[in-house]
Amino acid sequence: FRMIHSCLDPIDTAMDHPKPAANILGIHLEGPFLAPDFKGSMPGHLLKRPDLELFEKYQRQADGRITYITVAPEAEGALDLIRELHRQGIVISIGHSGADYDTAMEAIHSGAASATHIFNAMKPLHHHAPAISGAALESDIYCEAICDGRHLHPGIVRLVLKAKGLDRVIAVTDSIMATGLPDGDYMLGVNKIRVTGGDARLISDGTRAGSTLTTINALKNLIKFTGRKMEELIPLLTANPASLLGISGRKGAVAVGKDADLVLLDDETNVDTTIVNGSIVYQNIQ
């Protein structure tokens, strides 16, 4: 609990004292209810069995700001937790999981609405055993995709888009504290990581540990990987996540009555100006 507390507390403080910058809309609790064999760069000794009482303890610490949670559906008690959190209005994503197809489908029918970074930290798709990835692709849930060219081959990005459609894929960065910083050694929670050529890995065993991808580079990669027009791909970073999180009434599109959160791009698809709540918070003055 102390480790998660150390993460929740500063987020809570930042939400209580917003700066003239991007707003934090809620907390994604990616753990501790994950499968040990698919923990990725998560420290195994901090993983916990799905536990509603423990989640509620986290939620009290976060002042009710946990809005999104990743759960491994095969863990003991996970399906009951998914049902209850869905009833409470928490958005549930399945991932960091070795769940088989049937268990994953049961989680989806119980209220799971997304798959955390599809294909990464989950049991692989096999034609005899579709597993969690097959259930995610076949169903109507959203699929997160890390479009850095490392976590997913460009062909897989195209395949996910073809299977899910442009309205069911969410481009995420999964980025860590080293994003935007030089190569070198950093910390990811309690783990030491090394970034080489922008690729972040655990020093201990070389496991990939998040990314150094920025959102604008995710968009550039999507354009490069798919050959699609920018206007087709923008919803993967705007309307789709807003819809998943249930905030599309005020976020995710340029429309009368919605929050004036805008990013202006130049002809090379670089960020020129960022507007938050109608105020300019960044301008490229080069």
Side-chain angles (χ1 to χ4, degrees):
F1 180 79
R2 288 194 302 272
M3 187 64 207
I4 290 185
H5 166 83
S6 70
C7 298
L8 295 176
D9 211 35
I11 297 172
D12 214 28
T13 300
M15 293 181 74
D16 285 334
H17 302 90
K19 307 282 186 186
N23 302 143
I24 300 173
L25 301 180
I27 296 169
H28 174 191
L29 199 65
E30 192 178 346
F33 309 133
L34 310 177
D37 289 344
F38 294 87
K39 67 185 188 313
S41 61
M42 305 286 185
H45 69 280
L46 295 179
L47 300 183
K48 302 290 184 183
R49 179 181 62 80
D51 183 332
L52 179 61
E53 185 176 340
L54 180 57
F55 171 82
E56 290 176 342
K57 189 176 181 180
Y58 295 143
Q59 188 67 296
R60 286 192 297 271
Q61 178 64 34
D63 290 332
R65 286 166 166 160
I66 298 171
T67 57
Y68 190 51
I69 183 171
T70 295
V71 178
E74 74 273 28
E76 181 184 353
L79 294 174
D80 288 338
L81 180 68
I82 289 170
R83 293 184 191 101
E84 175 57 25
L85 295 186
H86 176 62
R87 188 191 67 79
Q88 293 182 19
I90 307 296
V91 181
I92 302 113
S93 189
I94 51 176
H96 283 277
S97 167
D100 61 24
Y101 173 87
D102 291 337
T103 303
M105 276 299 192
E106 188 171 358
I108 292 166
H109 295 150
S110 297
S114 180
T116 298
H117 42 56
I118 185 71
F119 287 118
N120 294 118
M122 60 178 57
K123 196 170 186 178
L125 177 69
H126 188 279
H127 59 291
H128 291 158
I132 181 174
S133 48
L137 290 175
E138 182 190 0
S139 67
D140 290 332
I141 66 171
Y142 289 87
C143 283
E144 296 179 356
I146 307 173
C147 301
D148 61 353
R150 294 187 175 103
H151 285 80
L152 297 175
H153 185 281
I156 293 295
V157 173
R158 293 190 291 271
L159 176 64
V160 170
L161 284 170
K162 190 169 186 177
K164 300 298 298 182
L166 289 167
D167 63 342
R168 281 293 183 272
V169 179
I170 294 173
V172 297
T173 64
D174 204 42
S175 63
I176 60 172
M177 66 175 293
T179 302
L181 299 177
D183 285 356
D185 292 351
Y186 297 91
M187 294 297 295
L188 179 61
V190 299
N191 285 330
K192 294 179 180 180
I193 62 169
R194 179 163 294 150
V195 178
T196 306
D199 191 12
R201 294 179 180 268
L202 294 181
I203 291 177
S204 60
D205 63 8
T207 297
R208 183 160 281 130
S211 85
T212 59
L213 180 68
T214 60
T215 301
I216 190 61
N217 284 335
L219 175 60
K220 290 179 180 180
N221 287 341
L222 278 165
I223 295 170
K224 178 182 176 182
F225 294 168
T226 68
R228 292 177 180 269
K229 295 180 180 178
M230 185 191 303
E231 52 266 37
E232 292 184 277
L233 298 167
I234 287 288
L236 276 67
L237 301 94
T238 55
N240 294 356
S243 178
L244 171 63
L245 296 174
I247 57 173
S248 55
R250 59 189 178 92
K251 302 283 186 183
V254 181
V256 174
K258 296 197 177 187
D259 295 349
D261 298 335
L262 306 166
V263 178
L264 308 183
L265 307 179
D266 64 19
D267 292 339
E268 282 73 47
T269 321
N270 296 312
V271 176
D272 179 84
T273 304
T274 303
I275 301 171
V276 177
N277 293 327
S279 298
I280 295 175
V281 298
Y282 169 81
Q283 277 190 303
N284 185 353
I285 57 174
Q286 293 181 354

